[in-house]
Amino acid sequence: MPTLRWTTVNTPAPDAEAFVMASRLEVRSLKDVPRFFAKSLVAWKQVTGAPGAYGASLIAEPLKRTFWTLSAWEDKDALYRYARTEPHKSVMTGLRPTMKGSVFTFWQVPAAELPIDWTDARRRLAEQERAGS
């Protein structure tokens, strides 16, 4: 399972809050995996220089056609600015037809708790998925 470990982009002030986003993204077919993975690396490179980003991680489970993202931001606006900025904007639009399903969850934590534990993120995603069913 290829993993891009937590990378700290900017160190927040010790008393700051962080806006966290976790996602589980599933593509329709195994043939979509290489393209999705390549595009996710483009978005990864972008996040490492994005204003307001505190850090991020990615887990790829190619044989399950599933990708997991976890990132922390200065605030919700910083995350949404990143999502609306190229190349991420075109990556999202271009991959939409290959997606089988996606789950997103958001929460806030004291910045001192970064990096976020994947166990917590996966639990929150599972809860979000159950709530959406």
Side-chain angles (χ1 to χ4, degrees):
M1 160 169 61
T3 299
L4 296 175
R5 293 182 12 202
W6 184 267
T7 298
T8 299
V9 177
N10 294 298
T11 303
D15 60 341
E17 285 283 310
F19 184 76
V20 179
M21 184 209 66
S23 68
R24 185 186 56 74
L25 309 162
E26 184 181 354
V27 295
R28 292 183 186 280
S29 158
L30 283 175
K31 71 179 180 165
D32 296 320
V33 167
R35 181 169 172 255
F36 187 94
F37 190 68
K39 294 291 186 179
S40 67
L41 293 178
V42 170
W44 174 264
K45 184 176 179 186
Q46 180 187 356
V47 79
T48 61
Y54 288 150
S57 180
L58 169 76
I59 295 175
E61 296 178 317
L63 296 179
K64 294 181 179 179
R65 304 178 332 270
T66 303
F67 298 82
W68 306 79
T69 71
L70 180 59
S71 58
W73 301 84
E74 184 177 283
D75 55 28
K76 184 176 173 179
D77 290 338
L79 169 62
Y80 289 4
R81 267 192 313 276
Y82 160 76
R84 290 189 310 263
T85 303
E86 295 297 342
H88 187 272
K89 180 180 176 182
S90 293
V91 167
M92 282 191 332
T93 304
L95 289 174
R96 199 167 284 138
T98 67
M99 300 307 299
K100 180 177 181 181
S102 304
V103 179
F104 298 89
T105 190
F106 307 89
W107 71 99
Q108 287 193 262
V109 298
E113 293 182 13
L114 298 177
I116 301 301
D117 178 73
W118 268 107
T119 303
D120 182 36
R122 286 184 184 233
R123 178 187 56 77
R124 288 173 183 268
L125 284 163
E127 288 172 0
Q128 182 67 32
E129 190 167 30
R130 280 191 300 275
S133 299

